[in-house]
Amino acid sequence: MATQTDDTRKTNADTAMVSIRNVYKIFGNDLDEALELARGGTAKDAIQEQTGAVLGLSNVNIDIQRGQIFVVMGLSGCGKSTLVRCINRLIEPTAGEVWIDGREVTALDADGLRDMRRNEIAMVFQHFGLMPHLNVIENVAWPLQLANVERKERLERAANSLALVGLGDWHSSMPQQLSGGMKQRVGLARGLALDTPVLLMDEPFSALDPVIRRDLQDELMQLQQSVHKTIAFITHDLNEAVRVGDRIAIMRDGAVVQEGTPTEVVLSPNSDFVREFTQDIRMHAMVTAGSIMDQPISELPGAMTASDAVTAMETNNLVHGCVVDEQRRFLGATYLSEVLRESRRGDGRIDAMELYHEDRVQDDTVLDDLVPIGLKAQHPIAVIDADGLLVGEIPLDRLAAVMVSDEAAAAAAADNVEA
Ligand SMILES: Nc1ncnc2c1ncn2[C@@H]1O[C@H](COP(=O)(O)OP(=O)(O)O)[C@@H](O)[C@H]1O
Ligand SMILES: [Mg+2]
């Protein structure tokens, strides 16, 4: 597994969209004494006993790359909210630096900070933070009003972000008429309204029922494919962290105790504390299509004629094939019965035939999301990468084995770490 050398850490920090460097936060008086104790490694409890001050953050270092969803997780009181609020200085760090897109936030004056909050960072809160006397679209437009965007543009942009979260028909509803899930969609739309590159989300889904929460997690991930925000996402739920996070940092008593990809953290916990946290994580959230796929066995060049495809499929004993273009981009699936029919009818190229797209997933699709596809599929599932290239196929018996056995799932997830 990759360990971070000082050199890679430096490069990461230089290219990071959000960089948190040696940040401490101490609540209370006697900041100097408490800070000195914290720097010397004195624990949170002892610092509080000796000075009365509360150690909120202890030497936190985090780099969030552009377009990443970075999850901060840990038990209640470990400092998650404090950390996320230090990024936009809703809470002033006691020591250390915060950088966003190459600018030091911690060095900005009041004007600079206001500018930064308008143009660079938006925030979504756990308890929605909607204003009860404003309707949905006015709530979403509120940050734009604060930024002095004129009314017409404000409402247009708010309508756009409401459409993004599926609330295009709810402009004039009042917050109290909405369910919890819908309120948080409004909260999310408001977070998107300013169109900032950075989004801070402090336990945005924690107040919601599990089913609604899952829907919103899905939607966030889907949305992220088109908006490409850099997101700091706070949660106390490891299953949620693993599901939405590109990277995860686990905090305890104000300090980050482990950081890595979800698979690294779950499969290689670096302490008993993290192990305890991760032991009941559902393996299904860790296994990806890429980790259980085989090499593609039924690839058919789109330029082939139908009769050549019949020969190729019969030779290889295939009833189903993945049609690709010259770059190996997946164009869709076809079936022996269909190429047979086409070979008799006009014998055209197979990429000119009607192709099928149901049984296709991206390589980072997790097992949880593969299951419903696998249940319907009759043939191996095609796996494509982010560029749409065909990279593998999942035989249905493999999928079934991983679905029913935690051991098989763990083995597949472990493969993932090495990949
Ligand atoms: N304004 C404050 N004054 C004193 N202590 C605070 C204040 N805000 C937070 N804390 C303390 O800092 C620690 C971290 O709090 P917080 O960041 O809210 O944790 P989390 O979000 O992980 O639940 C806790 O011990 C909390 O009691
Ligand atoms: Mg909190």
Side-chain angles (χ1 to χ4, degrees):
M1 187 172 309
T3 48
Q4 263 188 344
T5 64
D6 283 349
D7 273 359
T8 61
R9 160 122 181 89
K10 190 161 174 293
T11 335
N12 287 347
D14 289 345
T15 60
M17 185 68 185
V18 177
S19 188
I20 296 166
R21 302 186 189 168
N22 309 108
V23 164
Y24 288 83
K25 175 64 193 181
I26 288 158
F27 296 104
N29 310 315
D30 256 338
L31 297 184
D32 291 345
E33 191 193 347
L35 186 59
E36 200 171 314
L37 287 169
R39 286 196 159 126
T42 306
K44 177 171 174 169
D45 288 351
I47 291 176
Q48 188 158 10
E49 218 161 277
Q50 282 178 49
T51 67
V54 174
L55 181 60
L57 294 175
S58 180
N59 197 20
V60 172
N61 285 281
I62 284 174
D63 292 318
I64 311 180
Q65 302 304 319
R66 219 171 280 272
Q68 241 176 17
I69 302 186
F70 190 102
V71 174
V72 178
M73 75 150 288
L75 302 174
S76 177
C78 72
K80 305 181 295 295
S81 292
T82 305
L83 177 61
V84 81
R85 284 171 159 77
C86 278
I87 296 178
N88 60 359
R89 284 175 55 194
L90 282 180
I91 292 179
E92 286 291 345
T94 308
E97 297 170 3
V98 175
W99 292 72
I100 291 189
D101 204 8
R103 280 206 297 166
E104 190 188 344
V105 182
T106 33
L108 296 174
D109 61 14
D111 284 344
L113 186 58
R114 195 174 315 119
D115 231 46
M116 170 73 72
R117 286 186 186 151
R118 267 177 207 172
N119 300 316
E120 304 285 335
I121 323 171
M123 193 153 179
V124 177
F125 301 91
Q126 175 176 2
H127 293 293
F128 322 132
L130 304 185
M131 281 168 286
H133 59 288
L134 296 183
N135 70 16
V136 163
I137 196 162
E138 287 162 344
N139 261 290
V140 174
W142 180 245
L144 297 163
Q145 185 163 358
L146 291 183
N148 297 320
V149 176
E150 54 104 13
R151 185 176 159 80
K152 185 161 171 287
E153 184 187 341
R154 206 156 78 208
L155 292 178
E156 262 170 35
R157 286 168 66 180
N160 284 342
S161 54
L162 276 168
L164 278 177
V165 301
L167 287 183
D169 295 333
W170 296 80
H171 290 188
S172 51
S173 301
M174 299 305 285
Q176 63 272 20
Q177 296 174 288
L178 305 179
S179 67
M182 291 167 81
K183 281 183 196 160
Q184 192 53 298
R185 279 170 208 269
V186 179
L188 187 54
R190 189 181 45 192
L192 297 170
L194 276 171
D195 202 16
T196 59
V198 178
L199 192 58
L200 310 178
M201 306 183 79
D202 191 356
E203 304 219 25
F205 307 146
S206 295
L208 305 174
D209 294 339
V211 176
I212 311 267
R213 189 196 280 209
R214 247 183 102 92
D215 282 352
L216 276 158
Q217 290 164 357
D218 283 346
E219 221 156 293
L220 176 68
M221 290 184 288
Q222 213 166 18
L223 204 59
Q224 172 69 348
Q225 307 260 333
S226 56
V227 296
H228 304 295
K229 305 273 179 199
T230 303
I231 301 178
F233 185 105
I234 308 296
T235 182
H236 63 260
D237 173 356
L238 187 60
N239 278 308
E240 179 166 270
V242 163
R243 218 169 126 76
V244 305
D246 296 310
R247 295 187 75 79
I248 300 179
I250 306 224
M251 290 185 72
R252 179 189 197 180
D253 287 347
V256 172
V257 292
Q258 187 166 2
E259 198 227 295
T261 64
T263 341
E264 284 167 357
V265 171
V266 171
L267 295 174
S268 313
N270 66 1
S271 61
D272 287 344
F273 177 77
V274 176
R275 189 165 303 116
E276 210 159 300
F277 240 114
T278 54
Q279 67 190 2
D280 54 22
I281 185 78
R282 296 176 52 259
M283 276 300 162
H284 281 196
M286 311 293 310
V287 177
T288 61
S291 67
I292 59 172
M293 70 189 183
D294 282 341
Q295 292 296 316
I297 50 161
S298 67
E299 201 172 324
L300 300 170
M304 254 186 179
T305 60
S307 53
D308 284 346
V310 171
T311 311
M313 291 175 87
E314 282 178 347
T315 313
N316 294 301
N317 213 2
L318 299 169
V319 291
H320 154 268
C322 294
V323 182
V324 296
D325 70 8
E326 275 152 31
Q327 280 81 46
R328 290 191 82 194
R329 257 192 304 267
F330 179 68
L331 300 174
T334 190
Y335 298 95
L336 183 57
S337 55
E338 304 231 344
V339 289
L340 262 173
R341 195 178 323 134
E342 172 61 24
S343 72
R344 294 191 193 115
R345 208 164 37 197
D347 202 20
R349 285 165 61 125
I350 55 174
D351 58 7
M353 296 169 49
E354 187 189 345
L355 302 173
Y356 300 89
H357 295 93
E358 296 79 29
D359 302 338
R360 172 192 63 178
V361 298
Q362 206 155 308
D363 51 3
D364 59 359
T365 305
V366 293
L367 188 54
D368 271 339
D369 299 328
L370 280 175
V371 170
I373 296 164
L375 288 175
K376 275 192 262 162
Q378 305 284 329
H379 302 286
I381 298 173
V383 183
I384 58 169
D385 68 8
D387 300 321
L389 302 187
L390 179 71
V391 289
E393 284 177 45
I394 304 173
L396 294 182
D397 55 348
R398 167 84 43 78
L399 182 58
V402 179
M403 268 161 61
V404 296
S405 150
D406 260 0
E407 267 162 45
D415 271 357
N416 235 3
V417 176
E418 280 148 28

